[in-house]
């Protein structure tokens, strides 16, 4: 059987590029757990911001299987070495993604606005002194500034701009990033959310959040319903059913 | 860099209002054969700025694309083949993308465009 995730032995590496680690595996596991929904979603554009080694976007392409050949994959990283490594990783798996060296999605925001159906982000989330944020090289893979939120808080408005009406965002966060606060903040913009995977490792407690536009409710209603959605997975599902109906 | 990527990029320099499409400076073009996939082309067609694709493909030495295109043309196999070739088989391997307003060059090396800005451009 064909593998549904990228194989570590085929993932390229470079001294200045973050190798796949617990956070990358957690994100890919969350995507795998949601694979049936992803297949049903029929994304036409999938994007990864901060692609690093390419392990995540290659895995996403592989798990979408035949669906992936109809889909446009695009990935960015601020680290030029990472973009090069991602290309090799994709090639080794027989996949293709368009690659751009850029800060988050700078240069793509205008044309990709409202077009991205699936966005995956494993941001630099480690709390660090602010001056370490945005450095070139491998530090850009983890340095997240105060509460590890500096880069996340820049990515969220960009994601809001790029996601299509049916767009989904999968975001890796750490407890220190205050994921529930991230969800509440996005609910004010009309997003529902759910923690799709929670995993504690020796060093950190990871939360993979899935966010999607909740077209039914706005503002206060959105906060209220969204909060329940965040707290109770089942309500989220009902909620999504309603959203789907409203699309027909 | 495929012309599909070029079609999605705009100049991101602060203050630039009309940063699309980026002009292309060609040093090296390569053609890579890609499996033909009609569904992919149909998915992408409404998202493509056609004139920018026509101009870009001409700069890369491919002149077969019609000046204008509409969705009914997707029923033509000949049209689809040309669209396929221009969109995903032509690669700018080395060269630059040039901001149409400021002339600032964004390098393309080993097929990857670099849109990183200097501090005074953000």
């Amino acid at each position: 059987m064909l593998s549904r995730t990228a194989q570590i032995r085929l993932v390229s590496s470079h001294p200045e590029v973050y190798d796949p680690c617990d956070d990358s595996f957690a994100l890919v596991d969350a995507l795998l757990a949601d694979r049936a929904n992803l297949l049903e979603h029929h994304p036409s554009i999938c994007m990864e911001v901060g692609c690093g080694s390419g392990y995540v976007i290659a895995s996403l392409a592989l798990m979408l299987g035949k669906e992936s050949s109809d889909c446009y994959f695009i990935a960015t990283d601020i680290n030029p070495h990472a973009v090069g490594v991602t290309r090799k990783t994709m090639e080794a798996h027989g996949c293709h993604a368009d690659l751009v060296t850029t800060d988050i999605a700078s240069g793509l925001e205008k044309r990709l606005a409202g077009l991205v159906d699936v966005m995956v982000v494993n941001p630099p989330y480690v709390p660090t002194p602010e001056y370490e944020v945005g450095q070139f090289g491998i530090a850009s893979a983890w340095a997240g500034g105060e509460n590890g939120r500096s880069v996340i808080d820049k990515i969220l408005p960009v994601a809001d701009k790029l996601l299509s009406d049916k767009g989904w965002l999968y975001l890796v966060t750490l407890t220190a990033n205050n994921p529930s606060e991230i969800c509440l903040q996005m609910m004010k913009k009309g997003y529902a959310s759910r923690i799709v995977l929670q995993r504690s490792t020796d060093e950190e407690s990871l939360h993979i959040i899935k966010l999607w536009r909740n077209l039914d409710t706005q503002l206060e209603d959105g906060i209220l319903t969204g909060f329940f959605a965040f707290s109770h997975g089942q309500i989220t599902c009902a909620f999504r059913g309603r959203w789907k109906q409203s699309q027909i | 860099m495929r012309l599909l990527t070029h079609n999605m990029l705009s100049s991101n320099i602060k203050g630039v209002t009309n940063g699309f499409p980026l002009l292309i400076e060609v040093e090296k073009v390569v053609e890579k054969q890609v499996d033909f996939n009609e569904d992919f082309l149909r998915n992408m067609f409404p998202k493509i700025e056609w004139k920018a694709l026509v101009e870009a493909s001409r700069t890369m030495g491919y002149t077969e694309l019609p000046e204008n295109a509409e969705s009914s043309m997707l029923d033509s196999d000949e049209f689809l083949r040309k669209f396929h070739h221009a969109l995903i088989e032509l690669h700018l391997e080395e060269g630059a993308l040039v901001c149409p307003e400021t002339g600032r060059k964004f390098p393309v090396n080993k097929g990857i465009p670099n849109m990183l800005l200097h501090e005074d451009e953000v």
Side-chain angles (χ1 to χ4, degrees), chain A residues 31-58:
Chain A
L31 293 169
L32 263 184
D34 215 25
R35 179 172 172 268
N37 291 326
L38 281 163
L39 288 172
E40 204 184 305
H41 194 56
H42 300 297
S44 39
I45 298 186
C46 292
M47 179 174 194
E48 181 172 21
V49 170
C51 53
S53 67
Y55 174 76
V56 174
I57 187 121

Side-chain angles (χ1 to χ4, degrees), chain A residues 25-27 29-30 33 194-199 206-209:
Chain A
F25 301 137
L27 176 55
D29 287 347
R194 187 159 61 95
I195 291 181
V196 285
L197 189 141
Q198 222 171 325
R199 182 174 295 169
L206 296 161
H207 302 252
I208 314 294
I209 312 173

Side-chain angles (χ1 to χ4, degrees), chain A residues 168-234:
Chain A
W168 293 346
L169 167 65
Y170 296 86
L171 177 71
V172 181
T173 62
L174 205 62
T175 311
N177 305 144
N178 199 351
S180 55
E181 201 272 329
I182 291 175
C183 292
L184 279 170
Q185 187 186 314
M186 289 301 278
M187 274 153 207
K188 289 176 192 165
K189 291 186 174 182
Y191 284 81
S193 55
R194 187 159 61 95
I195 291 181
V196 285
L197 189 141
Q198 222 171 325
R199 182 174 295 169
S200 295
T201 68
D202 291 343
E203 290 165 359
E204 51 196 17
S205 173
L206 296 161
H207 302 252
I208 314 294
I209 312 173
K210 177 179 178 182
L211 294 131
W212 65 95
R213 279 182 213 281
N214 168 26
L215 299 179
D216 281 355
T217 45
Q218 292 293 324
L219 295 171
E220 285 184 16
D221 189 23
I223 294 170
L224 188 68
T225 339
F227 180 73
F228 282 116
F230 173 63
S231 317
H232 307 285
Q234 283 185 332

Side-chain angles (χ1 to χ4, degrees), chain A residues 40-202:
Chain A
E40 204 184 305
H41 194 56
H42 300 297
S44 39
I45 298 186
C46 292
M47 179 174 194
E48 181 172 21
V49 170
C51 53
S53 67
Y55 174 76
V56 174
I57 187 121
S59 296
L60 180 62
L62 289 167
M63 75 179 73
L64 286 175
K66 271 198 299 188
E67 278 286 320
S68 73
S69 59
D70 301 342
C71 183
Y72 174 39
F73 289 87
I74 183 161
T76 68
D77 204 294
I78 196 169
N79 177 355
H81 300 300
V83 177
V85 167
T86 292
R87 178 166 65 181
K88 287 183 194 158
T89 297
M90 291 299 276
E91 280 171 0
H93 289 89
C95 306
H96 182 90
D98 278 0
L99 299 166
V100 181
T101 305
T102 194
D103 186 9
I104 305 178
S106 183
L108 291 161
E109 288 177 48
K110 196 172 165 189
R111 291 278 296 120
L112 281 182
L115 294 183
V116 177
D117 294 326
V118 173
M119 184 184 278
V120 290
V121 188
N122 183 1
Y125 55 65
V126 179
T128 62
E130 208 58 41
Y131 67 83
E132 289 184 15
V133 176
Q135 299 290 314
F136 289 98
I138 195 163
S140 67
W142 68 71
E146 193 182 351
N147 300 324
R149 283 285 293 272
S150 281
V151 183
I152 291 174
D153 287 344
K154 281 185 194 154
I155 292 172
L156 293 173
V158 176
D160 180 37
K161 190 172 176 190
L162 298 192
L163 286 173
S164 68
D165 284 348
K166 69 167 194 177
W168 293 346
L169 167 65
Y170 296 86
L171 177 71
V172 181
T173 62
L174 205 62
T175 311
N177 305 144
N178 199 351
S180 55
E181 201 272 329
I182 291 175
C183 292
L184 279 170
Q185 187 186 314
M186 289 301 278
M187 274 153 207
K188 289 176 192 165
K189 291 186 174 182
Y191 284 81
S193 55
R194 187 159 61 95
I195 291 181
V196 285
L197 189 141
Q198 222 171 325
R199 182 174 295 169
S200 295
T201 68
D202 291 343

Side-chain angles (χ1 to χ4, degrees), chain B residues 36-48:
Chain B
F36 181 76
N37 180 341
E38 192 175 325
D39 290 335
F40 177 79
L41 296 172
R42 285 181 182 276
N43 272 345
M44 291 315 295
F45 181 77
K47 301 177 172 75
I48 295 298

